[in-house]
Amino acid sequence: MIASATPAVPIVFKGREDLVEQGVAILCQQALRFLAILGAGGMGKTSLALHIMDSHLVQNKFGERCYFMPCELFEDTESLVQGLIHVMELTMQENQSKQKVLFNHLQSADGDLLIVFDNFETPWNHGDSRIGVKNLLEKIVKYDKVSLIVTMRGPDGPGDIAWKRLGDQSGIPTLLPVSAKEAFKAFAGNKLQSSDDSESQIDSLLYQLEYVPLAIRLSAQHVKQIPLEELLSMWETDKTSILTEPTKPGRLTSVSFSIDLSLQIFKIEGQTLSLLSAISFLPNGIPFWVKNLPHMFQGEHLSLDVSALLNSSLIYGQNEGIKMLAPVKEHIHSKYPLGQDIIDQLERFYAQFLEDLPDNDMEAQPLLQIHINNIEKIFRIKISSGHSKTPCISAVNILYRFRRFVSVVMGLIDLILEKDKSIEKDDKIDLEVKRADLLRWMGRFQDAKDQVMSQLFQQIGNELGVAECLKRLGDIYRVQGRNDKAIQMISDALKQFQTFGNQVQAAVCLLSLGDLYRMQGRYDEATEMIMKAQEQYEEIGYKAGVADCLKILANSMIWLGNIYFMQARYKEASEMISEAQQLFQQIGNEVGAAECLQRLGSIYRMQGRNDDAIQMISDAQKQFQTFGNQIQAAECLWSLGELFRKQKKYDEATEMMMKAQKQFEEIGYKQGVADCLRILGRIYMDQAQYGEAADMFSNALRQYQNNGIIVDVALCYEYLGITYRLQGQYENAKEAFTEALRLLKGFPGEKYLIGWTLLEFGHLFFDMKDFVEARRKYEKARNVFDSHGQLEREVDKCSRALAKLNEAIKQ
């Protein structure tokens, strides 16, 4: 029975090479004898142990004295001892106890021996056997020649033994995306047809499975009978049904069986099971659970329930929160659905959470980011059910402040307008105006303008409403690059707000006009508008208190610093941002001060002071991490990665970008993930790894499309065009550049990006020796750059390209 339960060393084994090296070093080089491989079911603990055991160094040290114990067969001390005697082939003598036979052998062993206790959670958690099992284990480790590997579910090794753990606090991690994809393809075999669509479908499926090894293996094996597209559809509808083999369920053939086994072994029931069900319902889990859990759920000793769930590895801790991997989440949510009373509690909690957000967006946004998917899910359910409409509208009004969550807000607004047939007229108008603003921000300008104009007619007699619509129309024209029209609209809105004494909106208009003049290179007028806005804010701020006023002053200085930055007046920009930093420090706004550090780092980067820039941004990153501001901490990692890329320190750049990507994924910020993928593509492209670069750009492009960020979609098409050109794939390159320019027609203000796309398109035609078309593209690019007024260097690049073209024609 033991022999048949002992698995072979897995043939497909990806992404764990570093862990194998660490495990081998612990057993063979560091004189540490006790290795714990911990984590949730399905993470590949057994496979990792087998590969460590099979390594050349381990085999040289222990030889045939390596013993594998499949502990799911053993429930107590007596059966464990019997199993050890069997695998070690020891002879029992009459009237001799089994333990004495075992310990005599360990004492007299000729050389070092290794025992692997696999799936040790079974005897460790069975009935009242723990004390006896603990005593046996601690007696075994007293023999100097014995080394142990233990694999088990949970975050801690058994007994009072100095285990050396692999992985992180939650055990061994999931696979990285590249390794997960390699494993999926290896398991699927030659049935998998390679294409651009299949690559993106694999990426999508693995992302949804959160790169769990067992889920990867089980899903990939279905590809041998089911098309990949159908497999994705099955996951969307049936979830964990695809994570099983068509055999008798077991811990290695069914994710659901493995999860149910954990429930059984760790006795997860009653209130603990209810809490597990609630966590499975929440996409973000429970952030900062120590603080939030008592307010989210009713019940006694909830911390003990969390401890029990952490010990089972059904949940894991991350950044002071508790979360659940996708396969576990889907199984638990399907089998143990959440009751309506708990959903109502969660709605009340998040309604209050939104009300309590800080007024400062920079402070509020990171707090909101880690809960946003929970909030979206709960309020979508409440809106769809036809209940609690007032709290839902209040939630939308608060979320509307944050452009980072545009897709969430747009979805909730659309759902309210669809489901609530008895909505108050004022609420309906307000939501439609907000929707228009979001459409404008997403680049859907005509839809936005149509909706705003309809509001102008609806609000006849409401002069403030008309002024607000004029302001929004100005914003639409601004994004379209129609700056003169935008200035006219916002100036009209400003006059009306001033007439009505609405100082806040008047100040907002002044800031918008300042930004418009800045974009046109009219820096004196831009500065005048910002200074007027600052005076307006001073007046408003003093009414609210000195601290608020200083905060507003600091923000105004950042605006001015940005203007100086755009003028390449880096000294003045640095002075202004430094002064803002001092004001933030004066009022104790540490997040604002860290933001200034981040901006100073950007200024230093533009001055070529890369080492200073790295120091500044690194300091900002540490501060954001300390404050729990995960978004801006990740943005700093992203900036560091880009700095290292420009310094051609590609290993450091990749490391920073991967860390940033992981952090963005953890907080559910998809645009940040896409930004990281885009720069990873640049890193690969810089190193002439064009296939990998194209994969990254394509993946980033899909993420941007899903989030409606059209300009960045165009940027990815431009990079794809460059990558294809460098590989000699000229038709693919032509299609990519053409699509980039088609998208950018809706954004005439993006002159820098349009110009570069045309310039790169010209390089493509140059390589194809189509000199007539190359000249057209170079000249168009030069005209676009020249029309901007601040891109002289780019104009020179076009002129040099044309000169090179003339030389080529002469030859």
Side-chain angles (χ1 to χ4, degrees), residues 28 53 75 251 355 386 391 415 423 445 475 658 780-781 792:
C28 299
M53 187 178 171
E75 296 181 341
R251 69 171 77 215
E355 290 289 339
L415 198 59
I423 188 171
F445 303 119
D475 290 338
M658 293 294 285
K780 279 187 179 180
E792 291 85 358

Side-chain angles (χ1 to χ4, degrees), residues 695-759:
D695 286 344
M696 289 294 171
F697 293 140
S698 298
N699 201 347
L701 186 153
R702 286 189 293 273
Q703 301 257 13
Y704 288 131
Q705 281 177 325
N706 291 337
N707 285 281
I709 307 171
I710 307 303
V711 170
D712 285 327
V713 173
L715 180 59
C716 288
Y717 273 117
E718 182 202 332
Y719 288 153
L720 278 170
I722 297 169
T723 305
Y724 291 139
R725 176 178 72 81
L726 293 172
Q727 294 178 90
Q729 299 178 23
Y730 296 142
E731 288 305 314
N732 288 339
K734 190 185 295 186
E735 289 177 9
F737 287 133
T738 300
E739 181 62 14
L741 291 171
R742 184 188 71 79
L743 293 171
L744 289 170
K745 281 183 180 178
F747 298 83
E750 290 288 343
K751 297 184 184 299
Y752 184 85
L753 182 52
I754 294 169
W756 269 109
T757 305
L758 288 165
L759 180 59

Side-chain angles (χ1 to χ4, degrees), residues 577-591:
I577 302 294
S578 295
E579 194 170 341
Q581 182 186 15
Q582 291 172 11
L583 283 175
F584 281 128
Q585 289 170 338
Q586 183 179 337
I587 61 177
N589 188 329
E590 294 175 315
V591 174

